Amino acid sequence: MRRFTVNINTVSGTAGSVKSNNLQLGMLLLKLRTFIALFLVVVYFSIMAPNFLSMANMLIMVKHVAIYAFLAIGMTFVIITGGIDLSVGSIVGLAGMVAGGLIYNGLHIPFMNVTIYFHLPMVILITLAVGIACGALNGFLITRFKVAPFIATLGLLYIARGAALLLSDGKTFPNLVGSEKLGNTGFPWLGSGTILGIPLSICILVVLGLAAAYLAKCTPLGRHIYSVGGNERAALLSGVRVNRVKMFVYMFAGFCAAIAGLIIASQLVASHPASGETFELTAIAAAVLGGTSLAGGRGTIGGTIIGALVIGVLGDGMVMMGVSTFWQMVIKGIVIVAAVVVDQFQRDLQSRVALAED
């Protein structure tokens, strides 16, 4: 009688290898989830809406995506540090109103009884400074007074929106073309201008995205941002100036929101105090869809921009299909929840992969 022997170690090792390969494949699919989602959304709307891939629609869609991406880039850094910024939508509205007020009414100095009209570059710089100042206020409350980011930025959401309403008593600043006599023309070019046939807003997004990606991956500040989000206590003990890092990310988020406010007001050639409402939710959704973890410590600028593309394509596609605005809000909410669930699943799977490799 022949005897057959089975090497238990070999069988268990093979099974473990197969399990590890399956887990790694699952991790790869999760990392590519944003690209997969973008591909599926584009295919679906290109079938359901015949004019979806037309050049005219693509240009409109890309301009919308740029607005979301500006906000999402700033939000990405905030979330990586383990924070959140609910005020960016209101900063968008305030920035637009500041720019519109400076062009439409100028800056009135009561005690001198003088009104100053600034050239366009100065209008842009003042508006960006307002956005940075709003971010600095967020950072100051969070770092100095230890206010929770959710509460601090929620407070500024109301402050910035109220300030935007006060600037015009709730009215719109219309027809922001400026005056040759006053030397403040050229504002509409920000939203409608092109460079080598490429919309200016896209050119600004490319420059900002590349600069943010370089900062995140190739500079000490970028490494500190990730370390604060990964383990704030360990980062502090290792010499990272945590408060300065947090101040920077909130100021940068305010800067990005101010850019978005300028672009929106320029595209409309008017500024309205309600501009940017709920944009903070879109920015969070784009960042999370792009792989930024709400727990902090993980995220990429490239992924965030792809996430913004998904949000933009989804929104424009639903508009072209005639989907109700109310249903659009419901669907965006579902997308945010789904993105968080998938992110949590990815974290659990990463732990399982690490255990399997050990």
Side-chain angles (χ1 to χ4, degrees):
M1 179 181 291
R2 295 182 180 179
R3 294 183 178 179
F4 296 92
T5 59
V6 179
N7 191 327
I8 302 299
N9 291 333
T10 301
V11 173
S12 61
T14 303
S17 177
V18 171
K19 182 179 179 181
S20 177
N21 290 337
N22 289 337
L23 289 174
Q24 289 178 357
L25 177 60
M27 279 298 303
L28 178 62
L29 291 175
L30 284 174
K31 289 180 179 179
L32 295 176
R33 65 183 182 271
T34 314
F35 290 97
I36 296 171
L38 179 61
F39 174 77
L40 293 176
V41 169
V42 170
V43 170
Y44 176 77
F45 285 122
S46 63
I47 294 172
M48 300 302 294
N51 295 325
F52 181 74
L53 294 179
S54 66
M55 184 58 67
N57 184 62
M58 293 298 288
L59 283 174
I60 294 172
M61 188 164 56
V62 166
K63 287 182 178 181
H64 290 168
V65 168
I67 300 299
Y68 301 147
F70 286 131
L71 296 173
I73 288 172
M75 187 68 73
T76 297
F77 282 136
V78 171
I79 296 176
I80 288 174
T81 62
I84 200 75
D85 191 345
L86 301 179
S87 66
V88 291
S90 295
I91 295 174
V92 168
L94 178 60
M97 292 303 292
V98 168
L102 290 174
I103 293 171
Y104 193 76
N105 290 330
L107 177 64
H108 182 66
I109 303 176
F111 63 89
M112 296 179 62
N113 197 25
V114 173
T115 300
I116 302 174
Y117 289 89
F118 297 98
H119 295 297
L120 181 61
M122 186 58 67
V123 171
I124 294 172
L125 289 176
I126 292 173
T127 304
L128 293 177
V130 168
I132 293 171
C134 290
L137 179 57
N138 278 330
F140 183 76
L141 292 172
I142 292 165
T143 58
R144 181 58 62 90
F145 295 104
K146 307 302 178 184
V147 179
F150 181 90
I151 299 300
T153 58
L154 179 63
L156 191 67
L157 178 154
Y158 287 107
I159 293 171
R161 186 66 67 189
L165 290 163
L166 286 170
L167 284 175
S168 65
D169 198 23
K171 299 176 183 177
T172 299
F173 288 128
N175 196 29
L176 301 179
V177 295
S179 168
E180 292 283 354
K181 182 180 178 180
L182 299 173
N184 59 357
T185 58
F187 185 63
W189 184 73
L190 281 175
S192 60
T194 61
I195 296 177
L196 300 177
I198 302 173
L200 182 60
S201 58
I202 303 302
C203 296
I204 296 173
L205 175 61
V206 170
V207 173
L208 181 66
L210 291 174
Y214 177 81
L215 186 151
K217 294 297 183 183
C218 304
T219 66
L221 177 58
R223 291 190 289 272
H224 292 168
I225 290 172
Y226 282 96
S227 64
V228 169
N231 190 322
E232 182 175 330
R233 180 62 178 170
L236 186 63
L237 293 174
S238 65
V240 175
R241 296 182 175 180
V242 173
N243 286 347
R244 290 191 179 185
V245 171
K246 288 184 177 181
M247 283 290 295
F248 170 79
V249 297
Y250 284 99
M251 290 169 69
F252 184 71
F255 170 78
C256 292
I259 293 177
L262 282 167
I263 297 296
I264 291 173
S266 177
Q267 288 175 348
L268 298 174
V269 198
S271 56
H272 191 277
S275 294
E277 285 186 345
T278 74
F279 276 23
E280 59 276 355
L281 301 181
T282 303
I284 294 169
V288 175
L289 272 174
T292 303
S293 173
L294 286 173
R298 190 178 77 244
T300 63
I301 299 301
T304 292
I305 293 175
I306 299 299
L309 277 168
V310 173
I311 295 293
V313 170
L314 186 64
D316 281 30
M318 288 190 292
V319 169
M320 292 188 69
M321 289 181 62
V323 178
S324 166
T325 304
F326 308 133
W327 274 111
Q328 290 183 38
M329 294 175 66
V330 171
I331 292 170
K332 285 183 179 180
I334 292 172
V335 167
I336 294 173
V337 174
V340 174
V341 170
V342 172
D343 176 68
Q344 183 62 46
F345 182 71
Q346 180 179 352
R347 292 172 60 194
D348 294 341
L349 192 58
Q350 281 178 330
S351 300
R352 292 169 61 186
V353 169
L355 289 173
E357 290 177 348
D358 291 341

